[in-house]
Amino acid sequence: NDMLSRKRAVLRKRRISKARASGRQRTTNGLQKNLSGWSVRWWKPANDGGIFMAIEKVKAYFENLGEAARILTFEESTATVELAAEALGVSSGHIAKTLSFLVDGKPLLVVLAGDARMDNHKFKMVFGKKGRMIPADDVEALVGHAPGGVCPFAVKDGVPVYLDTSLHAYETVYPAAGDDHSAIRMTPEELFHFAHAAGWVDIHKEA
């Protein structure tokens, strides 16, 4: 009888644990379903498995600077230069695209005008080695933002940001703001300031 009671107790605990886990999963799924949309983008990052909103990191960064009103959000996707330009009603060159590279195994970001193409020879001349684009699956873990929303703000500590001189062709540019439905308006000089850029570089191909 004692053994039977213990078995029943174990089975009861297992059912309770399973029910609780199921309830948590339903709650999480419901939260994702109810909050998903153009202004709230949830995902599970590879680095710590927690759920967070990357755009909120960028918003918090600019709120601390008193500049949060600069951030724009859209129903339309801004995941690519072309989509961002269409959503904003500007030419592709006004979109400040952030490219992520590995140099000697360490990540770095370079922001170029949306219509600029990278020159591999120039890159090697500037950084001393050939750059390798960070694989999409590793971008968030290394940089702090997922593909489609990579920007030079609120990135992981130790990730340097450089601005390409192609940005000088435009008075106003629009980098992403942490997710694929956002942008932020500023001048190239303001971008340099807000991104705490390490310097200006020339790695784009001449037209």
Side-chain angles (χ1 to χ4, degrees), residues 13-81:
K13 286 182 180 179
R14 286 178 179 173
R15 283 196 299 269
I16 292 172
S17 297
K18 187 175 181 180
R20 285 176 177 171
S22 177
R24 284 195 298 270
Q25 184 62 40
R26 284 197 299 270
T27 300
T28 301
N29 290 342
L31 184 64
Q32 290 172 333
K33 181 178 180 181
N34 292 335
L35 295 184
S36 64
W38 60 269
S39 62
V40 182
R41 311 289 292 177
W42 290 88
W43 65 84
K44 186 177 290 186
N47 55 345
D48 62 8
I51 295 175
F52 72 103
M53 295 178 289
I55 191 172
E56 292 303 323
K57 293 194 301 181
V58 178
K59 281 183 178 178
Y61 173 74
F62 280 99
E63 281 172 359
N64 289 335
L65 299 173
E67 300 284 353
R70 290 175 178 266
I71 296 176
L72 307 170
T73 55
F74 304 90
E75 262 186 48
E76 302 90 346
S77 172
T78 56
T80 67
V81 169

Side-chain angles (χ1 to χ4, degrees), residues 76-99:
E76 302 90 346
S77 172
T78 56
T80 67
V81 169
E82 292 75 18
L83 290 173
E86 184 177 349
L88 285 157
V90 298
S91 70
S92 60
H94 286 86
I95 306 303
K97 62 184 178 184
T98 305
L99 303 183

Side-chain angles (χ1 to χ4, degrees), residues 162-183:
Y162 296 88
L163 303 190
D164 184 75
T165 54
S166 59
L167 294 165
H168 285 316
Y170 303 93
E171 292 185 6
T172 304
V173 294
Y174 297 87
D179 76 355
D180 56 2
H181 285 67
S182 67

Side-chain angles (χ1 to χ4, degrees), residues 126-202:
V126 170
F127 295 106
K129 297 223 174 154
K130 182 178 179 180
R132 182 170 71 89
M133 296 290 290
I134 299 178
D137 291 342
D138 299 330
V139 171
E140 187 176 356
L142 292 173
V143 174
H145 299 300
V150 177
C151 67
F153 317 112
V155 298
K156 289 203 166 186
D157 291 341
V159 178
V161 176
Y162 296 88
L163 303 190
D164 184 75
T165 54
S166 59
L167 294 165
H168 285 316
Y170 303 93
E171 292 185 6
T172 304
V173 294
Y174 297 87
D179 76 355
D180 56 2
H181 285 67
S182 67
I184 183 165
R185 185 179 188 273
M186 58 187 61
T187 67
E189 290 70 27
E190 288 172 330
L191 175 56
F192 187 94
H193 170 70
F194 290 132
H196 300 291
W200 287 96
V201 296
D202 177 2

